[in-house]
Amino acid sequence: LERDYILLLGICAMTMLKRWAARARDNHRKGSDLERRVKRILESEGRPNVRTNVLLKDKNGNLSEIDVMCGYRFIPGSQLYIECKAYKKGNAVSLDAVSKFKEVLLLNGIPLHRGLVVTTSHFSPRATTIGVTTVAGEELLSWERASAKSSTRRRRIFYSLVLVLAAIVSAK
């Protein structure tokens, strides 16, 4: 009987571990999807040097990962540092999560106005009051639509210039 009990416990533990691993893979995939989505938005806005999963070393020698970053370090004021939180609707991004990102910015000497926390859900009320810009689900959709429009406008301008240049070259 004791042996059967131990076997049953082992089976239950394995089942729980498999479920936990599947949930962890799903959460990682959702986070990566949001990072790629934000990267596409920034690229369609014409932001330079957009990268994901950038490691920064702070003044104490600790490494921190920035989900999405754009701009050049050698051009002051061109950088944007973004933390992505892919939460289910109804789950708020906490003050702790935003505070942790704020601390990463401060430890790396990055001005708070250069940091952005993006979520697919919403923020707890206090999380939006600590000096880091926050972008919640609906704002993210609006940002995405606006960047798509600006991207289309830029392409039209570019192709118009190409046509004008082609006409000039063919006229010679």
Side-chain angles (χ1 to χ4, degrees):
L1 183 67
E2 185 177 312
R3 197 175 189 176
D4 291 341
Y5 182 70
I6 291 172
L7 183 62
L8 183 62
L9 279 176
I11 292 170
C12 288
M14 288 300 291
T15 303
M16 288 173 59
L17 281 172
K18 285 180 182 178
R19 287 182 184 162
W20 177 81
R23 240 188 333 264
R25 279 191 305 274
D26 190 47
N27 288 342
H28 178 73
R29 183 189 52 77
K30 287 178 184 174
S32 296
D33 288 349
L34 179 58
E35 290 169 14
R36 282 190 295 275
R37 187 174 165 191
V38 169
K39 182 180 181 193
R40 275 193 307 270
I41 292 170
L42 294 170
E43 288 172 338
S44 71
E45 288 181 339
R47 302 266 185 160
N49 200 24
V50 182
R51 303 176 308 285
T52 57
N53 304 315
V54 178
L55 289 177
L56 298 179
K57 188 181 260 188
D58 68 25
K59 61 186 175 189
N60 300 318
N62 300 313
L63 289 176
S64 299
E65 184 180 75
I66 300 293
D67 291 335
V68 183
M69 181 181 163
C70 67
Y72 299 107
R73 275 189 103 68
F74 58 86
I75 302 175
S78 73
Q79 306 94 342
L80 191 59
Y81 303 84
I82 302 170
E83 177 71 12
C84 296
K85 298 290 182 188
Y87 285 18
K88 291 180 183 174
K89 284 193 189 267
N91 291 352
V93 176
S94 68
L95 172 63
D96 285 347
V98 179
S99 295
K100 181 180 171 190
F101 181 63
K102 176 182 179 179
E103 197 59 33
V104 166
L105 294 174
L106 293 173
L107 286 171
N108 284 282
I110 299 166
L112 294 183
H113 70 276
R114 292 276 161 221
L116 189 68
V117 181
V118 177
T119 185
T120 51
S121 182
H122 65 280
F123 293 92
S124 68
R126 291 213 36 224
T128 61
T129 63
I130 63 169
V132 178
T133 304
T134 54
V135 177
E138 289 301 317
E139 294 169 292
L140 176 60
L141 291 172
S142 297
W143 184 23
E144 208 164 24
R145 283 190 293 271
S147 74
K149 286 179 186 175
S150 69
S151 176
T152 302
R153 195 174 311 121
R154 254 194 311 284
R155 277 195 301 272
R156 284 186 192 140
I157 292 169
F158 174 76
Y159 291 125
S160 297
L161 289 173
V162 168
L163 291 173
V164 168
L165 288 173
I168 292 171
V169 169
S170 65
K172 289 184 178 183

